[in-house]
Amino acid sequence: MPKEIITEGKAQIEVDTADIVSKDLEVFYNPDMVLNRDISIAVLRTQFDKPICIALPLAGTGVRGVRILKEIPELVKKIEMNDASPEATKLIKENLERNGLEENETIRISQKDACLFLEDSDGFDYIDIDPFGSPNQFLDTAIRKLSRKGILAVTATDTAALAGTYPTTCKRKYWSTSAITPHKHEMGLRILARKVMLLGIHHNKVLKPVLSYHYKHYYRIIFECIKSKEQAAKLLDSLQAFVNYDKVTADISVTKNPDESKTWCGPLYEGELHDKEFLEKLLTNYKHKVIEKAKEELNVVGSYDTHQVSQKNDLRLVPLDDIIRKLQEKKFEASRCATNLHAVKTTASFQKLIEVMKELNA
Ligand SMILES: C[S@@+](CC[C@H](N)C(=O)[O-])C[C@H]1O[C@@H](n2cnc3c(N)ncnc32)[C@H](O)[C@@H]1O
Protein backbone atom coordinates (compact mmCIF):
# COMPACT_ATOMS: atom_id res chain seq x y z
CA MET A 1 0.00 0.00 0.00
CA PRO A 2 1.51 3.42 -0.94
CA LYS A 3 2.11 5.74 2.03
CA GLU A 4 2.07 9.51 2.28
CA ILE A 5 2.79 12.15 4.93
CA ILE A 6 -0.07 14.58 5.44
CA THR A 7 -0.64 17.56 7.73
CA GLU A 8 -3.89 17.79 9.65
CA GLY A 9 -4.27 20.53 12.26
CA LYS A 10 -0.94 20.60 14.10
CA ALA A 11 -0.19 16.93 13.35
CA GLN A 12 1.95 15.35 10.67
CA ILE A 13 0.76 11.85 9.94
CA GLU A 14 1.83 8.97 7.75
CA VAL A 15 -1.22 7.40 6.11
CA ASP A 16 -2.16 4.80 3.54
CA THR A 17 -3.27 6.43 0.33
CA ALA A 18 -5.92 5.08 -1.98
CA ASP A 19 -8.42 6.55 -4.40
CA ILE A 20 -11.33 4.89 -2.67
CA VAL A 21 -11.55 4.76 1.12
CA SER A 22 -12.52 1.30 2.33
CA LYS A 23 -12.20 -0.68 5.54
CA ASP A 24 -9.82 -2.98 3.69
CA LEU A 25 -7.17 -0.26 3.76
CA GLU A 26 -4.33 -1.42 5.99
CA VAL A 27 -4.77 1.47 8.39
CA PHE A 28 -7.72 3.67 7.91
CA TYR A 29 -7.32 7.43 7.35
CA ASN A 30 -10.25 9.30 5.89
CA PRO A 31 -9.83 12.97 4.92
CA ASP A 32 -13.63 13.32 4.99
CA MET A 33 -13.33 12.96 8.77
CA VAL A 34 -11.19 16.08 9.32
CA LEU A 35 -14.30 18.00 10.38
CA ASN A 36 -15.19 15.17 12.79
CA ARG A 37 -11.77 15.56 14.46
CA ASP A 38 -11.84 19.39 14.35
CA ILE A 39 -15.16 19.33 16.18
CA SER A 40 -13.92 16.80 18.79
CA ILE A 41 -11.06 19.10 19.69
CA ALA A 42 -13.41 22.07 19.97
CA VAL A 43 -15.79 19.96 22.10
CA LEU A 44 -12.96 19.06 24.48
CA ARG A 45 -12.02 22.76 24.75
CA THR A 46 -15.64 23.68 25.39
CA GLN A 47 -16.48 21.02 27.97
CA PHE A 48 -13.31 20.75 30.05
CA ASP A 49 -11.14 23.28 31.86
CA LYS A 50 -8.73 20.90 33.54
CA PRO A 51 -6.67 17.82 32.48
CA ILE A 52 -8.79 14.74 31.78
CA CYS A 53 -8.46 11.05 30.83
CA ILE A 54 -9.10 10.45 27.13
CA ALA A 55 -9.80 7.13 25.36
CA LEU A 56 -9.55 6.49 21.63
CA PRO A 57 -10.52 2.79 21.51
CA LEU A 58 -10.47 2.69 17.67
CA ALA A 59 -7.53 4.99 17.10
CA GLY A 60 -6.64 4.11 13.48
CA THR A 61 -3.56 6.09 12.43
CA GLY A 62 -3.56 7.96 15.74
CA VAL A 63 -4.28 11.25 13.99
CA ARG A 64 -6.95 12.27 16.51
CA GLY A 65 -4.69 11.46 19.45
CA VAL A 66 -1.68 13.28 18.01
CA ARG A 67 -3.85 16.32 17.27
CA ILE A 68 -5.20 16.34 20.84
CA LEU A 69 -1.66 16.15 22.20
CA LYS A 70 -0.37 18.91 19.91
CA GLU A 71 -3.39 21.22 19.99
CA ILE A 72 -4.74 20.93 23.53
CA PRO A 73 -1.91 19.44 25.66
CA GLU A 74 -3.19 21.39 28.68
CA LEU A 75 -6.31 19.17 28.75
CA VAL A 76 -4.49 15.82 28.72
CA LYS A 77 -4.00 14.04 32.04
CA LYS A 78 -3.81 10.69 30.23
CA ILE A 79 -4.56 9.63 26.66
CA GLU A 80 -4.92 6.01 25.62
CA MET A 81 -4.89 5.08 21.93
CA ASN A 82 -6.01 1.57 21.16
CA ASP A 83 -6.57 -0.33 17.95
CA ALA A 84 -7.03 -4.06 17.32
CA SER A 85 -4.83 -3.90 14.25
CA PRO A 86 -1.06 -4.44 14.68
CA GLU A 87 -0.42 -2.22 11.62
CA ALA A 88 -2.41 0.57 13.25
CA THR A 89 -0.61 0.42 16.60
CA LYS A 90 2.76 0.38 14.80
CA LEU A 91 1.70 3.42 12.80
CA ILE A 92 0.41 5.21 15.92
CA LYS A 93 3.86 4.81 17.52
CA GLU A 94 5.56 6.09 14.37
CA ASN A 95 3.15 9.00 14.09
CA LEU A 96 3.77 9.99 17.71
CA GLU A 97 7.53 9.97 17.07
CA ARG A 98 7.12 11.99 13.89
CA ASN A 99 5.46 14.67 16.03
CA GLY A 100 8.12 14.66 18.75
CA LEU A 101 5.99 12.58 21.12
CA GLU A 102 6.47 9.14 22.67
CA GLU A 103 4.70 6.52 24.74
CA ASN A 104 5.03 7.26 28.48
CA GLU A 105 2.94 7.44 31.67
CA THR A 106 0.59 9.97 30.02
CA ILE A 107 0.46 8.59 26.49
CA ARG A 108 -0.46 4.92 26.20
CA ILE A 109 -0.83 2.69 23.15
CA SER A 110 -2.48 -0.74 23.18
CA GLN A 111 -3.55 -3.38 20.72
CA LYS A 112 -6.74 -4.96 22.00
CA ASP A 113 -10.34 -5.38 21.01
CA ALA A 114 -11.94 -2.00 21.84
CA CYS A 115 -14.38 -3.50 24.36
CA LEU A 116 -11.62 -5.40 26.18
CA PHE A 117 -9.50 -2.25 26.20
CA LEU A 118 -12.32 -0.26 27.80
CA GLU A 119 -13.18 -3.10 30.17
CA ASP A 120 -9.58 -3.28 31.47
CA SER A 121 -9.47 0.48 32.13
CA ASP A 122 -10.34 2.61 35.18
CA GLY A 123 -12.67 4.74 33.06
CA PHE A 124 -12.41 7.98 31.09
CA ASP A 125 -13.78 11.52 30.86
CA TYR A 126 -13.85 11.45 27.05
CA ILE A 127 -14.44 8.36 24.93
CA ASP A 128 -14.50 8.54 21.14
CA ILE A 129 -16.23 5.69 19.34
CA ASP A 130 -15.26 6.16 15.72
CA PRO A 131 -15.49 2.85 13.87
CA PHE A 132 -15.94 1.98 10.24
CA GLY A 133 -19.66 1.06 10.19
CA SER A 134 -21.85 0.72 13.25
CA PRO A 135 -20.74 1.83 16.73
CA ASN A 136 -23.22 -0.63 18.17
CA GLN A 137 -20.95 -3.29 19.66
CA PHE A 138 -18.81 -0.74 21.56
CA LEU A 139 -21.55 1.40 23.09
CA ASP A 140 -22.46 -0.48 26.27
CA THR A 141 -18.88 -0.81 27.54
CA ALA A 142 -18.05 2.76 26.58
CA ILE A 143 -21.06 4.09 28.49
CA ARG A 144 -20.18 2.04 31.55
CA LYS A 145 -16.63 3.40 31.54
CA LEU A 146 -17.65 7.04 31.06
CA SER A 147 -17.29 9.39 34.02
CA ARG A 148 -19.90 11.79 35.33
CA LYS A 149 -19.92 14.97 33.21
CA GLY A 150 -17.86 13.00 30.69
CA ILE A 151 -18.33 13.18 26.93
CA LEU A 152 -19.15 10.23 24.69
CA ALA A 153 -18.61 10.96 20.99
CA VAL A 154 -20.26 8.47 18.64
CA THR A 155 -19.80 8.15 14.88
CA ALA A 156 -21.98 5.87 12.74
CA THR A 157 -21.20 5.31 9.07
CA ASP A 158 -23.95 2.72 8.61
CA THR A 159 -26.32 5.50 7.59
CA ALA A 160 -28.08 3.26 5.04
CA ALA A 161 -29.50 1.15 7.89
CA LEU A 162 -30.40 4.15 10.06
CA ALA A 163 -31.93 6.14 7.18
CA GLY A 164 -34.30 3.49 5.93
CA THR A 165 -32.50 1.59 3.15
CA TYR A 166 -32.17 -1.45 5.45
CA PRO A 167 -34.99 -1.20 8.01
CA THR A 168 -34.55 -4.79 9.22
CA THR A 169 -30.84 -4.28 9.89
CA CYS A 170 -31.78 -1.10 11.73
CA LYS A 171 -34.29 -2.98 13.86
CA ARG A 172 -31.74 -5.66 14.75
CA LYS A 173 -28.92 -3.25 15.53
CA TYR A 174 -30.78 -0.24 16.89
CA TRP A 175 -34.10 -1.74 18.11
CA SER A 176 -36.05 0.64 15.90
CA THR A 177 -37.52 0.65 12.38
CA SER A 178 -36.13 3.18 9.93
CA ALA A 179 -37.86 4.44 6.77
CA ILE A 180 -37.02 6.35 3.63
CA THR A 181 -38.70 9.74 3.90
CA PRO A 182 -37.60 13.34 3.31
CA HIS A 183 -36.64 13.55 7.01
CA LYS A 184 -34.76 10.23 7.08
CA HIS A 185 -31.46 11.71 8.33
CA GLU A 186 -33.00 13.47 11.30
CA MET A 187 -34.81 10.23 12.14
CA GLY A 188 -31.57 8.25 11.69
CA LEU A 189 -29.93 10.53 14.25
CA ARG A 190 -32.90 10.13 16.59
CA ILE A 191 -32.80 6.33 16.29
CA LEU A 192 -29.07 6.30 17.05
CA ALA A 193 -29.54 8.71 19.98
CA ARG A 194 -32.28 6.49 21.41
CA LYS A 195 -30.11 3.37 21.34
CA VAL A 196 -27.28 5.15 23.17
CA MET A 197 -29.71 6.65 25.69
CA LEU A 198 -31.44 3.32 26.34
CA LEU A 199 -28.07 1.73 27.09
CA GLY A 200 -27.27 4.64 29.40
CA ILE A 201 -30.49 4.21 31.37
CA HIS A 202 -29.61 0.76 32.66
CA HIS A 203 -26.31 2.17 33.96
CA ASN A 204 -28.18 5.06 35.66
CA LYS A 205 -26.64 7.47 33.19
CA VAL A 206 -28.43 10.10 31.14
CA LEU A 207 -26.63 10.60 27.84
CA LYS A 208 -27.74 14.03 26.73
CA PRO A 209 -27.01 14.97 23.10
CA VAL A 210 -25.20 18.31 22.92
CA LEU A 211 -24.58 18.20 19.16
CA SER A 212 -26.00 15.81 16.53
CA TYR A 213 -25.19 16.09 12.86
CA HIS A 214 -25.13 14.35 9.49
CA TYR A 215 -22.14 15.13 7.33
CA LYS A 216 -21.11 13.41 4.07
CA HIS A 217 -21.29 9.65 4.77
CA TYR A 218 -21.69 9.65 8.55
CA TYR A 219 -23.75 10.59 11.61
CA ARG A 220 -22.10 11.99 14.70
CA ILE A 221 -23.61 12.60 18.11
CA ILE A 222 -21.77 14.13 21.05
CA PHE A 223 -23.34 13.16 24.38
CA GLU A 224 -22.74 14.60 27.82
CA CYS A 225 -23.09 12.10 30.66
CA ILE A 226 -25.22 12.95 33.67
CA LYS A 227 -25.34 10.37 36.45
CA SER A 228 -28.83 10.38 37.92
CA LYS A 229 -31.18 7.48 38.67
CA GLU A 230 -34.21 9.79 38.75
CA GLN A 231 -33.47 11.52 35.45
CA ALA A 232 -32.53 8.21 33.81
CA ALA A 233 -35.93 6.72 34.64
CA LYS A 234 -37.79 9.81 33.38
CA LEU A 235 -35.85 9.79 30.12
CA LEU A 236 -37.58 6.60 28.99
CA ASP A 237 -40.75 8.57 28.18
CA SER A 238 -38.91 10.55 25.50
CA LEU A 239 -37.70 7.41 23.73
CA GLN A 240 -41.06 6.06 22.54
CA ALA A 241 -42.04 8.31 19.62
CA PHE A 242 -43.05 7.24 16.13
CA VAL A 243 -42.95 9.63 13.17
CA ASN A 244 -45.46 9.06 10.37
CA TYR A 245 -45.10 10.48 6.88
CA ASP A 246 -48.07 10.86 4.54
CA LYS A 247 -46.82 10.11 1.04
CA VAL A 248 -49.94 11.67 -0.51
CA THR A 249 -49.70 15.11 1.12
CA ALA A 250 -46.16 15.19 2.67
CA ASP A 251 -47.72 15.87 6.10
CA ILE A 252 -46.05 14.39 9.18
CA SER A 253 -47.27 13.35 12.63
CA VAL A 254 -45.62 12.26 15.86
CA THR A 255 -47.47 9.54 17.76
CA LYS A 256 -47.01 6.98 20.54
CA ASN A 257 -47.89 4.13 18.17
CA PRO A 258 -47.10 3.85 14.48
CA ASP A 259 -49.82 4.93 12.05
CA GLU A 260 -49.90 1.87 9.78
CA SER A 261 -51.64 3.82 7.01
CA LYS A 262 -48.48 5.95 6.62
CA THR A 263 -44.75 5.46 6.10
CA TRP A 264 -43.54 5.36 9.70
CA CYS A 265 -40.31 5.02 11.64
CA GLY A 266 -39.53 4.53 15.32
CA PRO A 267 -39.47 4.24 18.20
CA LEU A 268 -37.08 7.13 18.41
CA TYR A 269 -35.84 9.92 20.67
CA GLU A 270 -38.12 12.97 20.58
CA GLY A 271 -36.10 15.36 22.77
CA GLU A 272 -33.50 17.97 21.90
CA LEU A 273 -30.76 16.92 19.50
CA HIS A 274 -28.51 19.78 20.59
CA ASP A 275 -27.77 21.86 23.65
CA LYS A 276 -27.96 25.41 22.30
CA GLU A 277 -25.93 26.91 25.17
CA PHE A 278 -23.19 24.36 24.55
CA LEU A 279 -23.24 25.14 20.83
CA GLU A 280 -22.89 28.85 21.50
CA LYS A 281 -19.71 28.18 23.49
CA LEU A 282 -18.56 25.62 20.92
CA LEU A 283 -18.83 28.24 18.18
CA THR A 284 -16.44 30.51 20.08
CA ASN A 285 -13.87 27.70 19.82
CA TYR A 286 -14.63 26.56 16.28
CA LYS A 287 -16.85 28.09 13.61
CA HIS A 288 -18.41 25.79 11.03
CA LYS A 289 -21.72 25.80 9.19
CA VAL A 290 -22.56 22.34 10.60
CA ILE A 291 -22.57 23.79 14.13
CA GLU A 292 -24.27 27.02 13.05
CA LYS A 293 -27.09 25.10 11.33
CA ALA A 294 -27.55 22.90 14.41
CA LYS A 295 -27.74 25.98 16.64
CA GLU A 296 -30.30 27.67 14.39
CA GLU A 297 -32.69 24.74 13.97
CA LEU A 298 -35.92 24.72 15.93
CA ASN A 299 -36.35 22.03 18.56
CA VAL A 300 -39.31 20.13 17.08
CA VAL A 301 -39.44 16.56 15.78
CA GLY A 302 -39.49 16.34 12.00
CA SER A 303 -39.76 18.90 9.24
CA TYR A 304 -41.80 19.64 6.15
CA ASP A 305 -39.91 19.21 2.89
CA THR A 306 -41.18 22.23 0.97
CA HIS A 307 -40.39 20.68 -2.42
CA GLN A 308 -42.52 17.65 -1.55
CA VAL A 309 -45.28 19.78 -0.01
CA SER A 310 -45.40 21.98 -3.13
CA GLN A 311 -45.41 19.08 -5.55
CA LYS A 312 -48.02 17.00 -3.71
CA ASN A 313 -50.37 19.93 -3.08
CA ASP A 314 -50.20 21.58 -6.51
CA LEU A 315 -48.36 24.65 -5.29
CA ARG A 316 -45.67 26.66 -6.99
CA LEU A 317 -42.30 26.38 -5.28
CA VAL A 318 -41.47 29.49 -3.27
CA PRO A 319 -38.20 30.35 -1.51
CA LEU A 320 -37.76 28.63 1.84
CA ASP A 321 -36.70 31.86 3.54
CA ASP A 322 -40.00 33.48 2.46
CA ILE A 323 -41.96 30.62 4.01
CA ILE A 324 -40.00 30.90 7.25
CA ARG A 325 -40.46 34.69 7.36
CA LYS A 326 -44.20 34.43 6.69
CA LEU A 327 -44.65 31.78 9.39
CA GLN A 328 -42.76 33.96 11.87
CA GLU A 329 -44.90 36.98 10.93
CA LYS A 330 -47.90 34.87 11.90
CA LYS A 331 -46.22 34.25 15.29
CA PHE A 332 -45.23 30.65 14.63
CA GLU A 333 -41.71 29.49 15.33
CA ALA A 334 -39.92 28.38 12.18
CA SER A 335 -36.38 27.61 11.04
CA ARG A 336 -34.39 25.76 8.43
CA CYS A 337 -33.66 22.09 9.11
CA ALA A 338 -30.01 21.06 9.56
CA THR A 339 -30.51 17.66 7.91
CA ASN A 340 -32.63 18.64 4.89
CA LEU A 341 -31.77 21.65 2.75
CA HIS A 342 -35.36 22.10 1.48
CA ALA A 343 -37.21 21.58 4.74
CA VAL A 344 -38.81 23.87 7.28
CA LYS A 345 -39.17 23.11 10.98
CA THR A 346 -42.12 24.87 12.52
CA THR A 347 -44.61 24.92 15.35
CA ALA A 348 -47.35 25.66 12.78
CA SER A 349 -49.69 22.84 11.75
CA PHE A 350 -49.53 21.38 8.25
CA GLN A 351 -52.79 23.24 7.38
CA LYS A 352 -51.24 26.58 8.47
CA LEU A 353 -48.11 25.83 6.45
CA ILE A 354 -50.25 25.14 3.37
CA GLU A 355 -52.13 28.42 3.96
CA VAL A 356 -48.84 30.32 4.12
CA MET A 357 -47.54 28.64 0.98
CA LYS A 358 -50.82 29.42 -0.82
CA GLU A 359 -50.53 33.09 0.22
CA LEU A 360 -46.99 33.16 -1.18
CA ASN A 361 -48.30 31.55 -4.39
CA ALA A 362 -50.93 34.24 -4.86
C1 LIG B 1 -12.54 4.40 11.13
S1 LIG B 1 -11.05 3.77 11.74
C2 LIG B 1 -10.64 4.82 13.06
C3 LIG B 1 -10.32 6.21 12.68
C4 LIG B 1 -9.81 7.04 13.82
N1 LIG B 1 -10.74 7.00 14.95
C5 LIG B 1 -9.55 8.47 13.40
O1 LIG B 1 -10.00 9.41 14.04
O2 LIG B 1 -8.85 8.67 12.40
C6 LIG B 1 -11.55 2.33 12.58
C7 LIG B 1 -10.41 1.60 13.26
O3 LIG B 1 -11.00 0.66 14.13
C8 LIG B 1 -10.17 -0.47 14.21
N2 LIG B 1 -11.00 -1.56 14.71
C9 LIG B 1 -12.00 -2.23 14.08
N3 LIG B 1 -12.59 -3.12 14.91
C10 LIG B 1 -11.97 -3.00 16.11
C11 LIG B 1 -12.15 -3.61 17.37
N4 LIG B 1 -13.10 -4.53 17.59
N5 LIG B 1 -11.34 -3.21 18.39
C12 LIG B 1 -10.39 -2.28 18.20
N6 LIG B 1 -10.15 -1.69 17.01
C13 LIG B 1 -10.95 -2.02 15.98
C14 LIG B 1 -9.64 -0.65 12.80
O4 LIG B 1 -8.40 -1.35 12.83
C15 LIG B 1 -9.50 0.81 12.33
O5 LIG B 1 -8.17 1.26 12.49
Side-chain angles (χ1 to χ4, degrees), residues 27-28 37 57-61 63-64 82-85 88 112-114 130-132 137-138:
V27 177
F28 191 77
R37 291 184 281 267
L58 305 122
T61 60
V63 58
R64 194 181 301 261
N82 175 78
D83 200 287
S85 143
K112 296 180 186 174
D113 170 76
D130 179 35
F132 188 88
Q137 58 176 312
F138 311 110

Side-chain angles (χ1 to χ4, degrees), residues 336-351:
R336 282 179 173 263
C337 169
T339 45
N340 179 341
L341 207 61
H342 309 301
V344 57
K345 279 185 168 283
T346 181
T347 48
S349 65
F350 183 66
Q351 287 67 32

Side-chain angles (χ1 to χ4, degrees), residues 315-329:
L315 294 165
R316 186 170 48 81
L317 199 59
V318 286
L320 184 52
D321 285 337
D322 291 354
I323 300 174
I324 292 172
R325 193 180 22 82
K326 201 82 178 155
L327 284 166
Q328 287 169 342
E329 276 170 18

Side-chain angles (χ1 to χ4, degrees), residues 260-280:
E260 299 290 350
S261 69
K262 311 266 161 61
T263 303
W264 60 268
C265 60
L268 46 78
Y269 168 60
E270 62 178 316
E272 296 193 30
L273 283 171
H274 326 284
D275 176 335
K276 299 287 170 81
E277 241 175 76
F278 183 89
L279 295 190
E280 217 156 278

Side-chain angles (χ1 to χ4, degrees), residues 134-179:
S134 170
N136 209 22
Q137 58 176 312
F138 311 110
L139 293 174
D140 193 58
T141 323
I143 292 167
R144 206 148 41 77
K145 291 293 181 172
L146 188 66
S147 69
R148 189 171 185 205
K149 284 271 168 198
I151 292 277
L152 175 68
V154 177
T155 307
T157 66
D158 57 339
T159 52
L162 285 158
T165 307
Y166 305 114
T168 314
T169 308
C170 186
K171 198 166 185 178
R172 183 167 48 76
K173 286 192 178 167
Y174 296 99
W175 310 334
S176 181
T177 302
S178 55

